[in-house]
Amino acid sequence: MEEILNRASKVAEEAEVFMVSSEETPVEFETNRLKHIQSKQSTNVALRIVKNGRIGYATTTRVDDIENLIANAVATAEFGTTAHFTLPSLTSYPNIEVFDPDVEKVTQERMAELGQGMIDALTKHTPELICEAAVTRIIAYVSIINSRGGQARYRQSAFTTAIEGQLIRDTDMLFVGEHWSSCHPLLEPGDIIRAVLQQLEWAREQASVPTRSLPVIFTPHGIASAFAGPIIAAFNGKTVLEGASPIAKKLGKGVFDKRLSLRDDPTIDYRPGSSPCDAEAVPSEATPLITEGTVSSFYYDLQTAALAKTRSTGNGHRSQGGQPSPLPSALVVTPGDATFDDMLHDIKEGLVVEQLMGATQGNILGGDFSGNVLLGYKVEGGQIVGRVKDTMVAGNVYELLKQVAAIGSDARWVGSFLNTPSIYCPSVSVASK
Amino acid sequence: MVDIVTASQQLAEAFKGQDADYVEARLTEGETSHITYRGRQLESIGRSSAIGGNVRALVKGGWGFVCFNDLSELPDKVALAVKQAQFVGKEESQLAPAEPAVETVPSTIAEDPANVSLAEKKQLLDEYNDIICRYPKIQTSMINYSDSQRRTIFLNSAGSRIEQERRDVALRLAAVAASNSEVQQAGISLGGLNDFGAVRGLHSEAEQLAKRAVDLLSAPHVKGGEYTVVLDPILAGVFTHEAFGHLSEADFVYENEQFRQIMTLGKTFGEPHLNIVDTATLPGLRGSYKYDDEGVLATKTYLIREGKLVGRLHSRETAAKMKEAPTGNARAISYRFPPIVRMTNTYIEPGLASLDDIISEIKEGVYAKNWYGGVTSMEMFTFSAGEAYMIRDGKVAELLRPVVLTGNVFNTLKNIDAIGNDLDMNQGGGCGKGGQSPLPCSNGSPHIRIRNCLVGGR
């Protein structure tokens, strides 16, 4: 890495080398039994340079092919965008724990037992259920160095368990499932099993909802599939800078319900979305996005922050080996005080949305979503009475979150990117067959 | 450092004497370039090069898979894959027979993107971007261009050694219009195999999509409910891919007794005018190849013929387990993944009706055009139109806000009551499955009419 930096610094004004190497071991189950064990080793080096004021960028998996890497970065710098940022110099980083050595020690045998245990517990409850499952452990090493003396290094562990069950009766299909992740080994699958069993129980009967506006509770999964896409796009500093975000000019203004607060938070120990710094070596920090209904800030990487005349919030992340761009680390919605049962009991006739399919295909930037209820339940007289089918839910995030009926106290993680309670909306457009 | 040819020789040696029913390896080297714009700003330009490979082993029905960037110590990697497979395997390995092949497949390249300079690519994209950005009321644009060249060597323990090369080109143009706090967008996706020409000459398309984004600002929402819907070839292609294509992938079916019963060959899925095909054998389409990632020759597979289910897509394992012939549909997005059953180029064969015939009988309906996205959960599907209009009294009427269509595939295919004569293939986007996305695929159809289709709206 140092050699790449040294040689790149000779042909460019600024240079930054980002390297990530990882080992990922997924143990996979198909049709209720162990099917596949994988071992995935990968190394990737990304070089970003500023030459004649312009950004050049190249990546390679060949750590020994420095010449080609530098040549590609130089070739792209000729056409690259003008660099407005300054790379961070040597600094200190917050102490955020994201590595648990115990993850490495979990054997493939133990992972296979864990997966089979989850499947056995579910098929004991519903014998016709056909499950796919994956138990995965990941160890990653991240290093960043730059020509201003900035340097950051950390290692991160992750452990994920995912299970999906399908139940087919004639041409009727039910899909249930959960996925959990942590930097610790997840060796006690009790909670994940209970969550899926609850879905099976609630979906036992079929029910139908009328085509009209109804009160709807979005569960944490439901929020991830309906609201997360538009919110992530709207608070992206780049979307704001372009004027393409509907809240671009609403900083400091009340746009959402006063009970709603949202932050991006990569500082929580042992979460896979956490890290001491972002992919540009900017120290991590919690960034409040919505504070009691008011738009309080947007999230930025170095370049976008410089263009917007503000500072990076440590959200310069690289997706799929690309250049850093503003991305949330981990979104956290502050829980409210309503229990899930409180919210249910308030509904005479309505819907619980657990999973929306295809919700973010529409005009995300405008806040619109519209999706098929893949997993959702009819509520009648304060009780869940069964699962709905052939039902679509449509709405606009800004209209729905302007005034909510309640925010739940049942906050939980959905994957590694979102921690939220359920949100109860008094009136949502529902169409069904 | 070891190149992939040398590595393939070392691997072939390492395959010998392994205690496994079957071993294979894929080695890949390649380069990709991307250029993206957001508004007037070129946002990102970059080049990546990669080399890597994998070894996959089968022992008693269990699979082990190892992938790597480092091409050293290859015998250890083979041994690890075999060891993993041994740990998993407790049954009997089943693989449909595939004739071992030794071949270097010549690639027929129309216009090689590698021979077009960065300066020329940028010039072309600048022209498109300028057309979009200077259109009144356009707030910003989004352009994503990428091309890749990839050379792959496949080898297996039965003696196959297949070398294939491909060049892939993909482009998405999008325009974002804004007024007050309203934001609307319109986009198109295109691509081509072995041909940079596929993304040339799109100036009038760029202008049209800018206009559409602006028009959407004042367009009404459709009222949610059931409609007679006419799909253009692009959207009907996506519908075919999402609503039916995924169901015909045998890996969903082969070990699932209930699902096998739903997908029994001979079962009626549509009216006798409905024919659906998947084939990787058509030149120039993004889903095409000679051999799949298990070294099986590509075929043309009828999935639905005269309304009846007659075939499905297979890997060697699913074909063997279902006692059907392999179809050459095992594909992996890269060396980082094992091959799984995927579509290639999937389309509805043309019928006789003209677009006018299809629309003229509709009193009130929706004309949905252009791809925006789509997903499926086997039984239910949802896909969205990039462009939609009301149909009133047999004529295309006002523009609508983007619509999402959803339904149950088993009913919806039967509800197709007219098939046009104007087959067209859609080369944009890519398919995602099992964490492998976007895989180059194409899909297509003539215009089709669907009765009683559920449209989401307010």
Side-chain angles (χ1 to χ4, degrees):
Chain A
M1 271 182 89
E2 282 74 11
E3 194 189 339
I4 298 172
L5 184 68
N6 287 340
R7 286 173 57 179
S9 300
K10 287 189 184 118
V11 296
E13 298 105 75
E14 305 271 358
E16 171 200 65
V17 185
F18 175 89
M19 181 165 160
V20 58
S21 53
S22 64
E23 279 201 46
E24 189 178 334
T25 309
V27 173
E28 295 173 342
F29 294 78
E30 257 179 51
T31 332
N32 297 340
R33 65 194 198 285
L34 183 60
K35 181 71 182 175
H36 217 142
I37 294 184
Q38 303 189 24
S39 165
K40 300 180 146 193
Q41 299 147 2
S42 87
T43 303
N44 201 44
V45 183
L47 171 65
R48 180 164 64 159
I49 59 168
V50 178
K51 187 173 168 67
N52 302 323
R54 291 172 179 273
I55 302 171
Y57 188 74
T59 74
T60 184
T61 64
R62 308 180 194 217
V63 278
D64 59 348
D65 194 8
I66 299 178
E67 213 147 293
N68 196 34
L69 179 70
I70 293 174
N72 278 340
V74 169
T76 57
E78 189 183 334
F79 308 101
T81 188
T82 306
H84 295 277
F85 58 87
T86 310
L87 291 166
S89 52
L90 191 61
T91 180
S92 61
Y93 293 100
N95 187 24
I96 298 162
E97 301 290 345
V98 290
F99 183 78
D100 180 346
D102 285 346
V103 167
E104 255 176 320
K105 294 179 196 148
V106 184
T107 61
Q108 289 179 7
E109 286 80 358
R110 185 80 186 89
M111 292 163 73
E113 273 171 33
L114 267 172
Q116 196 63 55
M118 291 193 297
I119 290 169
D120 291 347
L122 296 182
T123 51
K124 191 177 161 204
H125 175 272
T126 304
E128 321 91 278
L129 194 69
I130 293 178
C131 298
E132 281 187 19
V135 179
T136 306
R137 61 160 205 248
I138 305 166
I139 305 291
Y141 298 87
V142 178
S143 322
I144 311 160
I145 52 175
N146 69 43
S147 53
R148 297 213 168 232
Q151 52 176 298
R153 273 188 183 82
Y154 64 93
R155 55 187 179 166
Q156 185 160 39
S157 58
F159 198 92
T160 66
T161 50
I163 186 156
E164 187 186 279
Q166 52 168 292
L167 191 59
I168 304 178
R169 288 180 179 135
D170 299 321
T171 64
D172 170 44
M173 298 179 198
L174 167 68
F175 295 86
V176 292
E178 271 292 339
H179 56 104
W180 292 41
S181 64
S182 173
C183 296
H184 294 304
L186 294 169
L187 301 177
E188 297 297 335
D191 287 345
I192 192 167
I193 292 168
R194 272 187 292 279
V196 182
L197 291 179
Q198 179 67 265
Q199 294 173 356
L200 284 169
E201 282 296 326
W202 281 341
R204 193 182 280 269
E205 305 294 330
Q206 284 199 21
S208 60
V209 286
T211 294
R212 62 178 167 85
S213 286
L214 290 172
V216 173
I217 301 171
F218 291 88
T219 68
H221 277 297
I223 291 166
S225 50
F227 299 160
I231 292 289
I232 288 170
F235 282 87
N236 186 325
K238 199 175 274 185
T239 321
V240 171
L241 182 66
E242 288 159 356
S245 167
I247 50 168
K249 291 174 186 148
K250 303 278 171 73
L251 202 60
K253 298 214 170 90
V255 170
F256 302 98
D257 190 288
K258 278 201 161 56
R259 286 165 290 177
L260 190 69
S261 292
L262 169 74
R263 66 182 195 275
D264 179 65
D265 195 349
T267 69
I268 305 165
D269 283 345
Y270 295 107
R271 287 302 314 166
S274 294
S275 54
C277 63
D278 69 1
E280 300 181 294
V282 173
S284 290
E285 61 181 294
T287 305
L289 302 174
I290 304 171
T291 307
E292 294 173 356
T294 299
V295 177
S296 42
S297 54
F298 307 117
Y299 61 88
Y300 291 97
D301 64 351
L302 285 171
Q303 170 82 353
T304 314
L307 287 167
K309 300 193 168 43
T310 178
R311 61 180 191 88
S312 168
T313 51
N315 286 90
H317 293 296
R318 303 173 194 244
S319 73
Q320 300 182 347
Q323 287 194 41
S325 69
L327 285 171
S329 305
L331 295 173
V332 180
V333 178
T334 307
D337 48 16
T339 67
F340 188 73
D341 283 342
D342 290 343
M343 295 188 276
L344 269 188
H345 292 155
D346 192 58
I347 298 178
K348 278 204 193 72
E349 183 177 38
L351 191 63
V352 172
V353 172
E354 175 88 339
Q355 201 71 251
L356 269 191
M357 183 171 73
T360 52
Q361 298 171 58
N363 176 26
I364 295 189
L365 284 176
D368 292 340
F369 68 90
S370 175
N372 186 316
V373 180
L374 184 58
L375 184 60
Y377 318 104
K378 164 88 180 283
V379 183
E380 242 175 63
Q383 302 280 338
I384 286 178
V385 294
R387 151 201 190 214
V388 299
K389 289 186 63 179
D390 296 320
T391 302
M392 289 199 82
V393 169
N396 181 286
V397 171
Y398 301 101
E399 288 169 21
L400 292 182
L401 295 183
K402 191 178 280 174
Q403 193 159 22
V404 302
I407 293 179
S409 57
D410 55 344
R412 55 158 288 189
W413 285 98
V414 180
S416 61
F417 86 106
L418 177 67
N419 185 303
T420 180
S422 299
I423 294 179
Y424 170 21
C425 299
S427 175
V428 184
S429 161
V430 176
S432 74
K433 266 196 141 146
Chain B
M1 193 171 181
V2 185
D3 61 33
I4 62 170
V5 173
T6 316
S8 72
Q9 290 156 354
Q10 291 172 0
L11 280 166
E13 253 338 280
F15 284 178
K16 291 176 187 163
Q18 290 293 343
D19 191 12
D21 298 325
Y22 172 80
V23 190
E24 68 177 22
R26 269 179 297 129
L27 295 156
T28 297
E29 62 185 4
E31 285 232 358
T32 60
S33 300
H34 77 266
I35 304 172
T36 61
Y37 287 76
R38 297 210 16 165
R40 291 271 174 197
Q41 279 281 339
L42 184 142
E43 177 184 53
S44 165
I45 179 166
R47 261 188 195 168
S48 302
S49 71
I51 188 165
N54 66 62
V55 177
R56 189 167 71 131
L58 177 65
V59 178
K60 292 184 182 165
W63 289 100
F65 178 86
V66 175
C67 70
F68 43 85
N69 293 121
D70 177 4
L71 302 189
S72 66
E73 292 160 19
L74 293 171
D76 292 353
K77 285 160 182 152
V78 176
L80 177 60
V82 172
K83 194 176 138 231
Q84 290 172 338
Q86 285 168 342
F87 175 75
V88 176
K90 291 179 183 65
E91 300 166 12
E92 189 196 341
S93 294
Q94 295 183 51
L95 281 186
E99 201 57 41
V102 177
E103 185 174 350
T104 300
V105 180
S107 47
T108 42
I109 295 171
E111 185 182 11
D112 191 345
N115 292 342
V116 181
S117 69
L118 269 181
E120 192 181 343
K121 288 172 188 166
K122 184 173 172 289
Q123 172 63 34
L124 183 67
L125 298 177
D126 277 341
E127 288 168 21
Y128 298 154
N129 197 35
D130 187 54
I131 290 169
I132 297 171
C133 288
R134 70 167 186 239
Y135 201 90
K137 287 197 198 161
I138 287 293
Q139 180 72 28
T140 187
S141 63
M142 284 178 272
I143 295 181
N144 293 287
Y145 167 85
S146 68
D147 60 52
S148 67
Q149 54 179 103
R150 184 195 282 188
R151 177 175 167 226
T152 301
I153 300 176
F154 169 87
L155 60 153
N156 68 20
S157 52
S160 281
R161 188 190 184 284
I162 299 164
E163 199 173 320
Q164 299 188 95
E165 261 193 86
R166 61 180 289 142
R167 309 266 192 279
D168 212 50
V169 180
L171 174 65
R172 178 167 173 81
L173 302 175
V176 178
S179 72
N180 301 326
S181 63
E182 279 276 4
V183 177
Q184 287 290 330
Q185 55 182 316
I188 47 167
S189 297
L190 297 122
L193 175 64
N194 298 334
D195 187 11
F196 182 78
V199 297
R200 288 189 188 274
L202 301 172
H203 302 80
S204 67
E205 281 84 349
E207 174 121 24
Q208 280 165 25
L209 81 94
K211 177 178 186 310
R212 198 165 75 234
V214 172
D215 290 349
L216 281 174
L217 288 172
S218 52
H221 283 280
V222 69
K223 191 171 172 299
E226 282 189 273
Y227 289 91
T228 296
V229 173
V230 175
L231 307 185
D232 82 330
I234 291 179
L235 192 54
V238 176
F239 165 71
T240 308
H241 174 104
E242 292 299 340
F244 179 73
H246 283 293
L247 279 174
S248 67
E249 293 168 342
D251 54 343
F252 290 120
V253 187
Y254 77 122
E255 290 181 324
N256 186 330
E257 197 41 52
Q258 291 134 326
F259 204 48
R260 266 175 103 136
Q261 282 167 14
I262 296 171
M263 297 300 287
T264 308
L265 298 186
K267 198 168 180 172
T268 300
F269 269 78
E271 297 297 315
H273 61 182
L274 184 66
N275 295 288
I276 301 181
V277 175
D278 182 273
T279 180
T281 61
L282 298 171
L285 294 181
R286 290 182 74 211
S288 292
Y289 48 79
K290 182 158 185 189
Y291 292 94
D292 76 357
D293 288 323
E294 292 186 315
V296 177
L297 269 175
T299 57
K300 176 176 181 179
T301 310
Y302 270 88
L303 305 174
I304 287 183
R305 196 171 228 161
E306 295 179 355
K308 290 192 167 53
L309 187 70
V310 293
R312 58 181 123 247
L313 307 176
H314 281 298
S315 66
R316 290 182 66 187
E317 185 178 32
T318 63
K321 291 201 168 169
M322 297 191 77
K323 301 189 172 55
E324 293 173 9
T327 57
N329 283 85
R331 306 178 67 191
I333 193 166
S334 76
Y335 62 89
R336 306 248 320 128
F337 295 91
I340 54 176
V341 180
R342 303 297 292 258
M343 283 173 263
T344 60
N345 309 298
T346 316
Y347 57 92
I348 295 179
E349 288 190 332
L352 301 169
S354 70
L355 178 56
D356 210 36
D357 299 338
I358 290 175
I359 290 185
S360 63
E361 314 170 4
I362 303 173
K363 202 165 168 357
E364 191 192 54
V366 173
Y367 180 29
K369 294 176 75 172
N370 235 313
W371 178 85
Y372 203 90
V375 279
T376 170
S377 74
M378 314 309 279
E379 180 195 11
M380 288 194 270
F381 64 84
T382 150
F383 52 100
S384 52
E387 189 177 354
Y389 303 85
M390 284 306 292
I391 298 171
R392 296 186 194 282
D393 298 321
K395 297 217 165 55
V396 177
E398 74 271 18
L399 177 74
L400 296 168
R401 291 289 169 94
V403 298
V404 176
L405 311 170
T406 192
N408 174 308
V409 59
F410 303 105
N411 303 331
T412 307
L413 283 172
K414 286 183 183 144
N415 288 345
I416 297 177
D417 73 345
I419 296 178
N421 55 13
D422 49 355
L423 171 65
D424 196 10
M425 296 301 289
N426 163 30
Q427 300 251 63
C431 172
K433 175 181 169 186
Q436 301 193 42
S437 177
L439 184 77
C441 280
S442 78
N443 51 60
S445 172
H447 275 91
I448 60 171
R449 185 173 65 206
I450 306 173
R451 297 282 179 196
N452 302 62
C453 190
L454 190 58
V455 178
R458 287 186 277 174

